[in-house]
């Protein structure tokens, strides 16, 4: 075991006076102290200083060159809660790191609002796409979010109002833990706060109108929520398809011939840790997928403009693959080869030619072959009758 030479020390707005004796001793002994300008200004020490560059990774060579010499990295609050700790731990052996956290902004905000953290959605909008908040906007939900800067509270208030959630209560908590701490409350649709400090955290109590477009917790979003040109896996088939794909936390999906991106989007909505790659050969559809992903709260969806199977060659290994458009022998073979053992594949086929293809795949590789068809009631004069949609044959299999 190596002795820890790198110390991650959490700092709050109360500054160095709040550091524990152990943290103070580590700062005093350091040969290099790394941190943001605000944190470095709080510390009275004679050690060499390195202010975080942009991007942060540019500081790693200098930090790693210190191996074996006492080094301190200053961070806001808890370094391992949306902090720099994860970045450091990916490049330095765990037994070479010692961490002394301070209360996180989440902990301080929950304490001021008297909310239980375990009942809140804890998000960071700092350095991450703002649209990720959308899927967390559930009726009666409580959210604590780290802001990007002083503009974030107004942007969130506007976002809530536009989504039929203007009655939601926003709490803007500024400079938490310091002598200039401030807490203000407002309705989202009446937001008029000014002079907001760049360092702020937002608390939200969501109140949704009865017709607000709340993203459900089950698959099968309404078709009209997607911008599309007709190339869309329809709601009922989509729900069955997502069930067959069986998303699990942290997995990667390839959505081949993605169309409007509905399968990839709902895969990512199933868990915040899930990732998806939408492969689409049509440039207009590829751009449309990106827009749908933003609107529906999964801005991190990766869209690859290219044609299968050529576009599949350099992609990250998937745990599941869906082929909804453009299935042919070459694409099916490439997809099957890319799957690891116990990876899942689902292919939907409407045309006779593609149905023949997946029937042969079923014979060769096993799995299940299903015939899916839904019918919706339509008016016929004074009466109604069921109007059947086009049938879909679905092949689903696990690679063993």
């Amino acid at each position: 075991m190596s002795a820890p030479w790198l110390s991650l020390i959490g700092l709050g707005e109360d500054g160095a006076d709040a550091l524990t004796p152990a943290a103070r001793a580590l700062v005093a002994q350091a040969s290099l102290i790394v941190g943001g300008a605000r944190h470095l200004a709080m510390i009275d020490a004679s050690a060499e200083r390195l202010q975080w560059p942009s991007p942060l990774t540019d500081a790693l060579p200098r930090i790693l060159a210190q191996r074996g010499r006492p080094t301190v990295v200053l961070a806001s609050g808890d370094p391992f809660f949306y902090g720099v700790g994860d970045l450091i731990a990916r490049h330095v052996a765990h037994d070479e790191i010692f961490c002394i956290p301070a209360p996180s902004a989440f902990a301080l905000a929950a304490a001021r609002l008297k909310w239980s953290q375990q009942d809140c959605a804890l998000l960071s909008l700092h350095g991450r796409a703002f649209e990720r908040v959308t899927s967390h906007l559930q009726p009666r939900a409580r959210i604590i979010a780290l802001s990007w800067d002083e503009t974030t509270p107004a942007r969130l208030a506007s976002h809530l109002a536009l989504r039929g959630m203007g009655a939601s209560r926003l709490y803007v908590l500024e400079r938490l833990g310091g002598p200039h701490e401030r807490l203000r409350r407002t309705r989202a649709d009446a937001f008029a706060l000014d002079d907001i400090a760049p360092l702020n955290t937002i608390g939200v109590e969501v109140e949704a109108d009865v017709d607000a477009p709340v993203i459900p917790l089950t698959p099968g979003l309404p078709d009209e929520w997607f911008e599309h040109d007709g190339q869309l896996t329809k709601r009922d088939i989509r729900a069955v398809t997502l069930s067959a794909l069986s998303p699990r936390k942290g997995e990667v999906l390839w959505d081949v011939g993605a169309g409007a991106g509905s399968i990839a989007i709902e895969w990512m909505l199933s868990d915040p840790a899930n990732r998806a790659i939408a492969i689409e050969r049509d440039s207009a559809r590829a751009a449309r997928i990106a827009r749908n992903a933003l609107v529906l709260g999964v801005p991190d969806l990766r869209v690859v403009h290219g044609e299968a199977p050529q576009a599949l060659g350099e992609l990250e290994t998937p745990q599941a693959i869906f082929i909804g458009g453009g299935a042919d022998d070459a694409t099916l073979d490439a997809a099957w080869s890319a799957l690891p053992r116990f990876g899942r594949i689902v292919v939907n086929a409407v045309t006779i030619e593609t149905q023949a293809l997946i029937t042969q795949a079923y014979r060769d590789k096993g799995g299940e072959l299903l015939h899916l068809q839904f019918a919706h009631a339509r008016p016929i004069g004074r009466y109604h009758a069921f109007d059947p949609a086009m049938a879909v044959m679905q092949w689903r299999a696990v690679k063993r």
Side-chain angles (χ1 to χ4, degrees):
M1 297 286 288
S2 303
W5 57 271
L6 181 58
S7 300
L8 306 184
I9 297 178
L11 267 179
E13 281 295 288
D14 42 5
D17 290 342
L19 292 178
T20 65
R24 292 182 191 179
L26 290 167
V27 170
Q29 296 165 9
S31 60
L32 175 68
I33 300 176
V34 184
R38 181 171 59 91
H39 291 146
L40 291 174
M42 295 177 179
I43 297 295
D44 182 15
S46 59
E48 180 186 354
R49 294 166 180 242
L50 173 63
Q51 183 175 325
W52 284 115
S54 181
L56 297 181
T57 50
D58 287 353
L60 289 172
R62 180 70 183 89
I63 294 172
L64 296 175
Q66 285 284 116
R67 178 169 272 113
R69 288 178 285 175
T71 304
V72 165
V73 171
L74 303 174
S76 294
D78 184 347
F80 285 99
F81 205 159
Y82 287 114
V84 75
D86 178 64
L87 172 66
I88 298 294
R90 280 187 268 126
H91 295 86
V92 179
H94 292 188
D95 57 350
E96 297 180 49
I97 300 172
F98 183 68
C99 180
I100 302 179
S104 68
F106 298 108
L108 292 172
R112 301 298 184 268
L113 297 171
K114 311 303 183 290
W115 293 355
S116 295
Q117 285 188 74
Q118 70 269 16
D119 297 327
C120 300
L122 306 178
L123 311 176
S124 177
L125 303 180
H126 183 85
R128 292 167 172 82
F130 172 85
E131 291 80 8
R132 294 179 68 183
V133 73
T134 301
S135 62
H136 296 277
L137 301 180
Q138 299 288 326
R140 296 170 297 283
R142 283 178 168 175
I143 300 168
I144 301 176
L146 306 180
S147 283
W148 176 263
D149 58 20
E150 66 275 13
T151 68
T152 309
R155 184 179 181 186
L156 181 53
S158 176
H159 189 64
L160 286 161
L162 287 171
R163 295 189 65 84
M165 302 176 188
S168 300
R169 292 173 292 281
L170 263 68
Y171 302 84
V172 180
L173 304 100
E174 304 164 76
R175 302 186 182 95
L176 282 169
H180 304 293
E181 179 179 306
R182 180 169 61 175
L183 190 163
R184 290 182 282 177
R185 168 181 165 171
T186 180
R187 271 177 58 122
D189 57 8
F191 191 92
L193 302 182
D194 58 8
D195 189 31
I196 297 173
L199 185 65
N200 71 83
T201 303
I202 310 168
V204 184
E205 289 183 301
V206 179
E207 292 291 338
D209 296 343
V210 293
D211 58 346
V214 175
I215 294 178
L217 302 179
T218 55
L221 299 182
D223 292 343
E224 59 269 21
W225 285 14
F226 295 93
E227 180 187 347
H228 65 90
D229 60 359
Q231 292 298 311
L232 173 74
T233 302
K234 300 301 190 292
R235 181 178 191 170
D236 301 312
I237 297 293
R238 192 181 334 122
V240 174
T241 300
L242 265 294
S243 174
L245 287 167
S246 304
R248 302 166 189 171
K249 189 178 184 69
E251 290 189 326
V252 176
L253 169 79
W254 287 0
D255 184 352
V256 183
S262 61
I263 294 294
I265 288 169
E266 294 215 40
W267 170 277
M268 292 183 68
L269 285 172
S270 68
D271 190 276
N274 285 5
R275 291 170 293 144
I277 303 171
I279 301 96
E280 174 54 55
R281 66 182 179 182
D282 183 274
S283 59
R285 288 175 183 163
R288 192 177 293 121
I289 292 168
R291 293 196 296 272
N292 283 332
L294 278 176
V295 169
L296 292 168
V298 289
D300 298 322
L301 171 62
R302 180 183 172 191
V303 181
V304 173
H305 176 214
E307 187 164 3
Q310 294 83 2
L312 308 180
E314 302 298 324
L315 302 182
E316 180 180 357
T317 300
Q319 283 72 51
I321 296 176
F322 171 66
I323 304 177
D328 54 32
D329 284 310
T331 299
L332 201 58
D333 288 345
W336 186 259
S337 297
L339 277 178
R341 191 178 180 210
F342 296 113
R344 289 99 62 200
I345 190 169
V346 176
V347 184
N348 287 354
V350 173
T351 67
I352 294 172
E353 290 78 9
T354 309
Q355 289 177 354
L357 177 69
I358 65 172
T359 299
Q360 188 60 50
Y362 169 66
R363 292 194 185 107
D364 295 341
K365 298 176 174 64
E368 298 177 83
L369 197 62
L370 290 80
H371 179 274
L372 306 173
Q373 187 170 37
F374 291 89
H376 295 264
R378 309 289 187 207
I380 300 179
R382 295 185 298 113
Y383 301 97
H384 291 78
F386 281 106
D387 181 13
M390 192 174 292
V392 173
M393 182 182 288
Q394 183 178 91
W395 175 55
R396 53 177 76 165
V398 176
K399 186 174 180 179
R400 299 186 185 274

